[in-house]
Amino acid sequence: MSASAPLLEVSELKVSFQTEDGTVKAVDGVSFSVGAGEVVAIVGESGSGKSVTSMTLMGLTRGPNASFQGTATFEGRDLIAASEAELRRIRGGDIAMIFQDPMSSLDPVYRVGAQIVEQIRAHDDEISKAAALDRAVELMERVGVPHARARLRSYPHEFSGGMRQRVMIAMALSCSPKLLIADEPTTALDVTIQAQILEELRQLRSETGAGIILVTHDLGVVADIADRVVVMYAGRVVEQGTLDELFYNPQHPYTWGLLGSITRVDSDRSKRLPAIPGAPPSLLNAPKGCHFRPRCPHAFEKCTEVPPLEARVSSTPGHLDRCWLEPERKRKLRVVDGRIGLAPEEKVVA
Amino acid sequence: MGRFVVRRLFSMIGVMIAISIVTFLLFAAIPGGNPANRLAGRLANPEEIHLIEVKYGFNKPIYVQYVRTMKNIFTGQAYSYSQGFNVLTEIKAGIPATFSLALGAGIIWLLTSIVVGTLAAIKAGKYTDRILTVLSMTGVSMPPFFLGAVLIYFVGYKLGWLPIGNFVPISQSPWEWFKHLLMPWFTLSVLFIGFYSRILRSTILDTINEDYVRTARAKGLSERQVLLRHILRNSLIPIISLWGLDLAQVIGGGAILTETVYNLHGIGQLAATAISSLDIITLMAIVLLTAFFVVFLSAVTDILYAFLDPRIRLS
């Protein structure tokens, strides 16, 4: 990370939605930052608030039932307080987004060329249609769509999933964004296509120096591309740090569980894949204190208070987590069967 | 495209033959439907009726009668059983009124329901939406003969703003044509506006949650651009295809109530008179005409559909 102010600084972001059943605290005090040229992965299971966080940065969760607190400072502007008109200029311009499902994220009734041109022209009143089209060809070539000029005249349904995601990336890149938010960009794709798309993102980062927020639940993808990792659970950040800190010295039991549930080629196939017991809490009625407490085999009395997000290991000040356990104890508890994992209930040592 | 048109043409002919057979059988099965009774007049004795039966072949097997009826209709030799007029001449005379009513009302109800449906959808749950919902439901449940009578009484008779009924050809006086058709257009449209705007409202509310709408917002488009270019463009597809079929029905004389209440002398009113006097040959001709327009416009709608939604291929 550079010494200057980061590209994006999210601080104590809270998002809640008013529903018929009550208030859902989808995001409950999330803080992290993204520097230029940095890839920050936000990981967590479905419903952890990772998508809501990323969409809130784009103002896409705004609505009559949503309320927001905290700040998200992007180049000196607060995205949370920004007016709709201000946000519109930033959206698709300085901050662009790629979505999870390329099959449904492009409008089926327009040619892909028209959809890319539409975005270019939304942010540049001067540019002619022909010039915008040329730019679209350039972008499509850059993200590896063959016969780019001819393909601009195709409709989304005439592309494969991987090609559509490339079109989405081309569209996102059209206004040279400084920050790219990729919400599960590879989840709906085949593994081989996944690798290609990740390669595109990596190249983009190195060529343009854009910061990337990668929202995913796939730790393999994270290990592949991320510089830093933010682990979210039930609307809160439970741990964040560099890739190495998180993978080799994880501090929060939830992170242990995540790491422990990765399939490995060398694992004993007769054994069941370790999983974290239980299900994430409903955000309508979240448990008091640590949100992971009901599923945590190591929970104790103090866990009914909310643990602060802070550095527990003095040698790594950027490595933050929310867990009351002593770092010394964590080092013992997180080893299950010789590797990192979350101990099953019966093995808990008092 | 060429193959599609040819195939559609053949299926069109098939459908019309089937419709004509079913209609003919239905009318043949109606008690008291014997056309000889109509032709002979009210005071005829059994001998006279029998003579007519023999003369017109009503005593022949039903398929012979069917072929004969169809031949008469298509050669312009069909004469009304109850009134004696030439059926084709009468239908031709009704075409200007019916077309004027159908096309005018069709445009009014399509455009109005797009505005009403869109407004209701973007204000979903708010007062505007609730008021529009009540109005739509009122429109759907408003029978044309009632609305027509109310309008004629108040707007036509009490206030004297618009002429009461009758049709004036556009060639004679465009202004009079317009004035005479305003109330019929409105009466016929109200029904469809209520129905269409409800459908559009729910289609828009579904479309709003589509991923590509979120993409459109993420691209930095204004709400207006998102609504017009992406939400509305996709939501209009079902409405347009519905419109083709409803318009076909009205063009083919389907607006029986509206035409009759305003005495427009169109095909619909002709049908109403034919039904009340069990004038089978006139009805057959009108049913065939309606069937033709429905089948033809549904083919046109399919072609239009393929233009509106590129995922659909004509084959």
Side-chain angles (χ1 to χ4, degrees):
Chain A
M1 257 195 296
S2 58
S4 61
L7 190 61
L8 174 78
E9 175 96 61
V10 178
S11 170
E12 281 301 306
L13 179 65
K14 290 184 183 182
V15 183
S16 56
F17 298 105
Q18 216 55 250
T19 69
E20 279 173 24
D21 304 321
T23 308
V24 176
K25 289 183 180 168
V27 177
D28 191 10
V30 164
S31 305
F32 66 94
S33 66
V34 184
E38 190 179 36
V39 179
V40 175
I42 304 182
V43 295
E45 55 203 303
S46 310
S48 61
K50 55 193 199 302
S51 282
V52 173
T53 303
S54 61
M55 289 210 279
T56 300
L57 297 177
M58 292 281 274
L60 294 176
T61 47
R62 290 184 177 193
N65 299 322
S67 54
F68 304 93
Q69 277 175 50
T71 57
T73 316
F74 174 76
E75 296 193 314
R77 288 167 292 189
D78 181 14
L79 300 173
I80 306 303
S83 72
E84 208 31 56
E86 265 179 273
L87 257 186
R88 207 163 63 226
R89 276 194 297 278
I90 299 173
R91 277 208 282 258
D94 285 344
I95 306 181
M97 192 157 182
I98 314 171
F99 297 99
Q100 174 173 0
D101 193 351
M103 303 313 253
S104 58
S105 293
L106 289 163
D107 192 326
V109 304
Y110 293 106
R111 297 176 200 279
V112 298
Q115 299 192 47
I116 301 176
V117 166
E118 184 181 40
Q119 176 157 4
I120 297 174
R121 291 180 37 124
H123 294 278
D124 186 347
D125 305 328
E126 313 277 283
I127 194 164
S128 73
K129 220 171 185 167
L133 215 56
D134 287 340
R135 173 114 177 88
V137 174
E138 243 171 69
L139 289 162
M140 295 264 280
E141 275 166 355
R142 173 163 166 197
V143 297
V145 178
H147 314 294
R149 192 167 284 275
R151 290 300 260 157
L152 282 181
R153 295 193 49 78
S154 301
Y155 287 98
H157 70 274
E158 293 164 336
F159 285 86
S160 65
M163 280 296 154
R164 279 189 225 187
Q165 196 59 295
R166 284 165 201 263
V167 172
M168 288 296 293
I169 297 176
M171 213 152 82
L173 298 188
S174 65
C175 296
S176 314
K178 294 172 184 150
L179 178 66
L180 184 69
I181 302 173
D183 188 356
E184 311 228 11
T186 58
T187 307
L189 304 174
D190 294 341
V191 184
T192 46
I193 311 294
Q194 274 189 21
Q196 293 171 12
I197 296 293
L198 287 181
E199 187 50 45
E200 294 298 340
L201 292 180
R202 203 175 290 129
Q203 217 173 35
L204 162 78
R205 185 257 305 259
S206 59
E207 280 173 21
T208 66
I212 297 178
I213 296 177
L214 181 75
V215 177
T216 182
H217 61 254
D218 186 339
L219 287 172
V221 169
V222 173
D224 210 2
I225 188 170
D227 299 315
R228 283 194 309 120
V229 187
V230 175
V231 182
M232 282 188 72
Y233 182 78
R236 288 182 187 150
V237 175
V238 292
E239 182 164 5
Q240 59 172 292
T242 63
L243 186 66
D244 284 354
E245 284 165 353
L246 234 105
F247 274 64
Y248 298 111
N249 190 19
Q251 295 296 304
H252 196 282
Y254 178 65
T255 317
W256 309 345
L258 277 186
L259 292 169
S261 62
I262 302 175
T263 40
R264 287 168 174 237
V265 184
D266 60 348
S267 62
D268 180 359
R269 291 192 188 198
S270 61
K271 277 193 175 167
R272 285 177 66 104
L273 185 67
I276 306 173
S282 154
L283 294 176
L284 261 177
N285 211 344
K288 227 175 78 188
C290 174
H291 281 173
F292 190 57
R293 178 172 52 90
R295 291 170 84 184
C296 182
H298 311 298
F300 59 110
E301 306 85 58
K302 209 175 173 189
C303 297
T304 51
E305 289 167 47
V306 182
L309 184 68
E310 60 181 27
R312 316 268 162 178
V313 188
S314 50
S315 57
T316 51
H319 186 188
L320 315 175
D321 74 283
R322 278 185 199 271
C323 182
W324 288 120
L325 289 169
E326 292 301 321
E328 278 310 308
R329 253 176 82 69
K330 287 175 179 173
R331 216 164 297 163
K332 273 189 220 123
L333 291 173
R334 74 189 178 200
V335 181
V336 178
D337 294 339
R339 58 167 62 106
I340 285 170
L342 190 65
E345 207 79 49
E346 60 270 18
K347 280 200 183 172
V348 174
V349 271
Chain B
M1 182 76 184
R3 276 183 57 191
F4 172 81
V5 171
V6 172
R7 262 202 17 212
R8 237 16 213 303
L9 218 61
F10 275 108
S11 76
M12 224 157 116
I13 295 167
V15 166
M16 287 185 61
I17 291 174
I19 287 174
S20 68
I21 292 174
V22 170
T23 318
F24 193 80
L25 288 178
L26 271 176
F27 283 118
I30 293 176
N34 184 2
N37 290 339
R38 317 280 141 217
L39 282 166
R42 267 199 303 169
L43 301 170
N45 56 39
E47 286 81 44
E48 285 170 329
I49 292 176
H50 182 70
L51 275 177
I52 290 170
E53 273 180 357
V54 174
K55 185 181 166 205
Y56 285 87
F58 295 141
N59 54 351
K60 295 256 170 65
I62 191 138
Y63 58 89
V64 178
Q65 289 189 45
Y66 168 77
V67 171
R68 190 187 172 122
T69 308
M70 293 302 281
K71 206 178 113 195
N72 285 343
I73 288 174
F74 281 98
T75 52
Q77 298 301 310
Y79 292 91
S80 161
Y81 293 158
S82 58
Q83 325 226 2
F85 54 69
N86 184 311
V87 173
L88 276 196
T89 320
E90 207 65 10
I91 286 179
K92 269 188 210 150
I95 282 178
T98 299
F99 275 37
S100 300
L101 173 70
L103 292 177
I107 291 167
I108 291 172
W109 91 60
L110 180 65
L111 296 183
T112 315
S113 55
I114 290 174
V115 174
V116 173
T118 309
L119 200 63
I122 56 180
K123 299 272 180 198
K126 303 218 173 95
Y127 274 109
T128 320
D129 175 38
R130 286 184 206 169
I131 292 165
L132 288 174
T133 302
V134 172
L135 284 179
S136 297
M137 295 325 279
T138 315
V140 169
S141 40
M142 182 79 78
F145 57 82
F146 173 71
L147 181 61
V150 168
L151 282 178
I152 286 174
Y153 181 73
F154 286 105
V155 183
Y157 174 67
K158 281 275 180 187
L159 297 167
W161 287 349
L162 288 169
I164 301 170
N166 291 323
F167 172 73
V168 176
I170 192 167
S171 52
Q172 196 178 316
S173 160
W175 176 236
E176 285 301 317
W177 171 82
F178 179 75
K179 276 205 318 198
H180 278 83
L181 279 167
L182 260 182
M183 285 201 289
W185 281 340
F186 181 78
T187 307
L188 184 58
S189 298
V190 159
L191 194 79
F192 290 107
I193 292 169
F195 188 50
Y196 279 43
S197 59
R198 292 272 84 196
I199 294 178
L200 185 61
R201 176 185 179 273
S202 67
T203 318
I204 290 178
L205 290 180
D206 284 343
T207 311
I208 279 177
N209 293 321
E210 292 285 348
D211 287 348
Y212 56 77
V213 173
R214 187 180 57 188
T215 308
R217 290 216 175 87
K219 281 158 90 170
L221 301 183
S222 68
E223 267 313 296
R224 192 188 161 81
Q225 287 170 320
V226 173
L227 177 71
L228 294 180
R229 282 194 214 158
H230 296 279
I231 298 174
L232 207 53
R233 174 69 172 69
N234 277 283
S235 304
L236 282 182
I237 297 171
I239 289 286
I240 297 288
S241 60
L242 202 62
W243 185 67
L245 294 180
D246 282 333
L247 192 67
Q249 256 219 349
V250 178
I251 288 181
I256 292 179
L257 294 173
T258 307
E259 284 193 17
T260 308
V261 87
Y262 288 104
N263 197 29
L264 294 179
H265 293 292
I267 300 167
Q269 198 175 356
L270 187 64
T273 328
I275 291 169
S276 63
S277 59
L278 282 178
D279 187 358
I280 292 161
I281 194 152
T282 309
L283 275 174
M284 278 293 291
I286 294 174
V287 166
L288 281 176
L289 185 79
T290 312
F292 167 76
F293 278 117
V294 170
V295 182
F296 173 72
L297 278 183
S298 84
V300 172
T301 309
D302 281 352
I303 294 172
L304 201 66
Y305 217 86
F307 275 105
L308 286 175
D309 189 343
R311 283 167 297 183
I312 294 167
R313 282 283 148 259
L314 298 173
S315 58

